[in-house]
Amino acid sequence: MTLKDEVKRARLMKFASAAFYAFCSFFIIVVNKNILTEHKFPSFMFLGIGQMTATIIILYVAKMNKAIHFQDFDKSIPGKIFPLPLLYVGNHVSGLGGTQKLSLPMFTVLRKFTILLTMMMESRILRKSFAPPLVCSVLAIVVGALVAASSDLSFNAEGYTFVLLNDVFTAASGVYTKKKLGMEGLGKYGVLFYNAFIIIIPTVLASAYTGDLEKALTFEGWMSVTFVFYFLLSCVMGFILMYSIILCSYYNTALTTTVVGAIKNVAVMYIGMFIGGDYIFSWTNFIGLNICISAALIYSYITFHSSGSSETNVKPAEDKLSIHITENHLEKT
């Protein structure tokens, strides 16, 4: 394969993994919003537990059937994976809490600050530098978010706190995920599996201690086929979303993965105006949202149409079967 073909293939994988993540990120927000607001499910923490459980079961079954490969558990695993489990649970809980407390458009506006935080953390932790046009586009996204949020007439202090915490957890998780993907023995699937495996028991205990677990188990909606369908769909989508994040981070930078999450807001913004019933329209908010979106699209154009030299990833040595399965999966999506 020629160098030109390699560059085309690398660019295709970068774009395909980013598009896959954008779709998953958008879809799970809609599903979770339906569960937490339309069906009034009382426990976003229990929903996160369901998503972790689905991740463990799916990856364990795939490993037992030799469809994928990752390192068996031993005493070195906690040291290799830390601090991802803590960031993972914080990301899950704060993200679901923000989804429950805020309208879809305002939730996605405040999530834009993740981009700036990711750029700062990636520069400090991964020692990565960014071209001035990329930095300007990131700053424009943040300015747009500030403009949009300035007109929020449905201010919810608890919801804002959840989302801003979610921004910090997401940024740190993205940067450390990129760092951990290169560690021998873990790979994409090991990072996913051991994240969920290590934190699920403490999360269940915390849920039981706070009374959250009891509220979830006594929820009347369990008798509804529609609710059960959406709940199971959210659990499976939780796994697919985490897989898509790992995949996008594998082929792109952590910052690009974060910006891709912002681009999906093109659909979330307009759909959120018509569903949920909690969006208050204002021109300031609308203009701010479109500044965010325009800047995110400019960032994407610069990233995916560049020569690739600034974001070329040297892929860590990983099981060839695993890579083959990943590529086949992307071709089907």
Side-chain angles (χ1 to χ4, degrees), residues 153-165:
L153 302 179
S154 58
F155 180 82
N156 184 307
E158 186 179 0
Y160 273 48
T161 301
F162 269 121
V163 178
L164 293 176
L165 284 174

Side-chain angles (χ1 to χ4, degrees), residues 22-321:
F23 169 78
C24 293
S25 182
F26 162 73
F27 189 69
I28 197 170
I29 285 179
V30 175
V31 173
N32 287 342
K33 188 68 175 175
N34 182 281
I35 293 171
L36 296 170
T37 60
E38 297 297 321
H39 287 88
K40 295 180 171 55
F41 186 61
S43 173
F44 56 82
M45 187 179 295
F46 188 83
L47 185 58
I49 292 171
Q51 293 172 356
M52 295 175 211
T53 302
T55 298
I56 293 170
I57 293 174
I58 292 171
L59 290 177
Y60 181 77
V61 171
K63 179 177 171 62
M64 291 299 98
N65 286 278
K66 302 188 184 303
I68 62 174
H69 172 75
F70 55 86
Q71 180 181 343
D72 292 331
F73 186 84
D74 59 39
K75 62 182 181 180
S76 69
I77 290 295
K80 285 184 177 181
I81 206 73
F82 187 82
L84 283 182
L86 298 178
L87 299 175
Y88 180 87
V89 70
N91 196 17
H92 257 76
V93 173
S94 59
L96 291 171
T99 302
Q100 185 179 35
K101 299 293 182 180
L102 297 177
S103 67
L104 281 176
M106 284 313 304
F107 174 79
T108 54
V109 164
L110 294 176
R111 291 284 289 131
K112 300 296 188 304
F113 291 98
T114 303
I115 300 170
L116 180 60
L117 290 171
T118 301
M119 184 173 68
M120 295 168 62
M121 290 184 184
E122 200 166 9
S123 297
R124 185 174 182 83
I125 297 173
L126 300 182
R127 305 298 181 185
K128 184 170 181 58
S129 59
F130 299 95
L134 292 180
V135 175
C136 290
S137 63
V138 167
L139 294 177
I141 293 172
V142 175
V143 170
L146 290 172
V147 172
S150 67
S151 68
D152 184 19
L153 302 179
S154 58
F155 180 82
N156 184 307
E158 186 179 0
Y160 273 48
T161 301
F162 269 121
V163 178
L164 293 176
L165 284 174
N166 189 227
D167 291 343
V168 175
F169 283 124
T170 301
S173 180
V175 172
Y176 277 101
T177 294
K178 183 69 177 179
K179 186 175 182 179
K180 299 295 182 180
L181 282 173
M183 297 194 69
E184 184 180 355
L186 286 179
K188 298 187 292 293
Y189 305 110
V191 169
L192 273 175
F193 181 83
Y194 289 116
N195 258 334
F197 180 78
I198 290 173
I199 65 177
I200 189 169
I201 294 178
T203 306
V204 171
L205 293 176
S207 179
Y209 178 77
T210 59
D212 192 77
L213 184 61
E214 183 180 357
K215 290 180 183 178
L217 294 177
T218 57
F219 179 59
E220 295 180 357
W222 291 114
M223 302 302 293
S224 168
V225 175
T226 303
F227 170 77
V228 172
F229 169 77
Y230 276 107
F231 184 86
L232 294 177
L233 179 61
S234 176
C235 291
V236 175
M237 282 304 303
F239 159 71
I240 296 176
L241 174 63
M242 292 307 300
Y243 175 74
S244 69
I245 293 172
I246 293 289
L247 204 61
C248 189
S249 297
Y250 182 71
Y251 288 107
N252 297 281
T253 65
L255 180 60
T256 296
T257 301
T258 306
V259 172
V260 168
I263 295 174
K264 72 166 189 309
N265 296 337
V266 175
V268 171
M269 178 186 69
Y270 289 106
I271 291 176
M273 293 178 183
F274 299 102
I275 67 172
D278 54 358
Y279 176 68
I280 300 175
F281 178 84
S282 74
W283 280 109
T284 305
N285 179 268
F286 184 77
I287 292 170
L289 286 171
N290 281 280
I291 292 174
C292 290
I293 292 165
S294 299
L297 292 175
I298 291 171
Y299 176 97
S300 302
Y301 179 84
I302 295 172
T303 298
F304 295 119
H305 287 79
S306 65
S307 62
S309 59
S310 63
E311 291 193 22
T312 300
N313 294 297
V314 180
K315 298 181 179 63
E318 188 171 338
D319 182 73
K320 292 184 178 180
L321 176 60

